[in-house]
Amino acid sequence: DQQVKQNSPSLSVQEGRISILNCDYTNSMFDYFLWYKKYPAEGPTFLISISSIKDKNEDGRFTVFLNKSAKHLSLHIVPSQPGDSAVYFCAASPWGGSEKLVFGKGTKLTVNP
Amino acid sequence: DTAVSQTPKYLVTQMGNDKSIKCEQNLGHDTMYWYKQDSKKFLKIMFSYNNKELIINETVPNRFSPKSPDKAHLNLHINSLELGDSAVYFCASSRDRGRNEKLFFGSGTQLSVL
């Protein structure tokens, strides 16, 4: 039962353009969301997060948007750079401890020079 | 200086063997985890320890046994390895159990059971 879905396994964009990675969730108890980035042969690293009391959070080139009614969040990267090429995992958490975090299966982003 | 380090990076072994994966964090974190990334690429939590005490043990076979000798270490021992255990295992840590805490991951151990 996939509670966090990243329906696009891969995405390819040109350098300088916007990358939009999407994530849908099914559990209405989720109210905290995170994005992690993973390079090959490395572990995931935290990128950005958002609480359900907000609908947008921005950190430099990265912005996460949350649409609670649609149970949908997206990560925007503007402008995209070749170094952004990685797998991006969406994760969601209900109220409670960090052990309740649920990950999606990731979207592989390729930014072409 | 690696924050979360796990060894070995690659582990190839025969069915039925027993193996261990070690994990150490030098971040002073209270909480450590083991995650499994299977062939379908989902990252699923297996165990969570907070201050050396088991917080969660997802439905994993009891062939998997975590051991936390101290707050900085969480090792994973696997008995009687099966083909289905082949996966990438990630150790992680966080400052505490708060759900808004960032997880810091090790680089993973790719386990192949032949």
Side-chain angles (χ1 to χ4, degrees), chain A residues 27-97:
Chain A
N27 188 341
S28 57
M29 300 302 291
F30 287 149
D31 62 357
Y32 194 80
F33 306 89
L34 308 93
W35 286 91
Y36 282 80
K37 173 180 176 179
K38 183 185 179 303
Y39 292 118
E42 294 184 12
T45 56
F46 170 79
L47 187 59
I48 193 169
S49 62
I50 189 167
S51 163
S52 63
I53 61 173
K54 294 184 175 182
D55 54 18
K56 176 183 173 180
N57 190 26
E58 195 170 351
D59 183 2
R61 297 185 297 113
F62 302 90
T63 302
V64 56
F65 294 92
L66 175 62
N67 182 335
K68 290 185 288 294
S69 60
K71 295 193 179 70
H72 177 84
L73 63 156
S74 60
L75 175 68
H76 292 210
I77 307 173
V78 183
S80 302
Q81 299 173 354
D84 296 329
S85 298
V87 176
Y88 289 79
F89 289 96
C90 173
S93 178
W95 188 89

Side-chain angles (χ1 to χ4, degrees), chain B:
Chain B
D1 201 16
T2 306
V4 181
S5 58
Q6 56 182 108
T7 55
K9 191 164 181 65
Y10 300 98
L11 187 52
V12 181
T13 188
Q14 298 289 328
M15 259 194 328
N17 284 349
D18 302 339
K19 290 293 178 186
S20 292
I21 307 172
K22 294 186 176 182
C23 179
E24 176 182 3
Q25 55 96 1
N26 63 6
L27 296 167
H29 287 170
D30 283 347
T31 309
M32 295 186 73
Y33 314 80
W34 278 107
Y35 277 84
K36 177 180 179 181
Q37 186 179 31
D38 60 21
S39 57
K40 294 183 179 177
K41 304 301 182 186
F42 284 104
L43 266 169
K44 292 185 179 176
I45 190 167
M46 300 175 69
F47 300 101
S48 169
Y49 265 75
N50 190 64
N51 277 318
K52 301 196 302 171
E53 291 187 25
L54 181 65
I55 301 300
I56 188 171
N57 178 354
E58 286 294 311
T59 311
V60 297
N62 56 16
R63 298 181 294 104
F64 291 78
S65 54
K67 289 285 191 300
S68 182
D70 55 58
K71 219 170 66 164
H73 296 84
L74 181 62
N75 303 322
L76 183 65
H77 189 75
I78 316 169
N79 289 326
S80 304
L81 277 155
E82 299 178 357
L83 293 175
D85 297 331
S86 296
V88 182
Y89 293 83
F90 289 98
C91 177
S93 73
S94 62
R95 190 173 51 175
D96 59 37
R97 284 184 61 214
R99 78 221 182 98
N100 58 345
E101 289 296 326
K102 303 174 195 177
L103 269 62
F104 292 77
F105 285 85
S107 58
T109 295
Q110 183 156 350
L111 172 65
S112 299
V113 182
L114 307 176

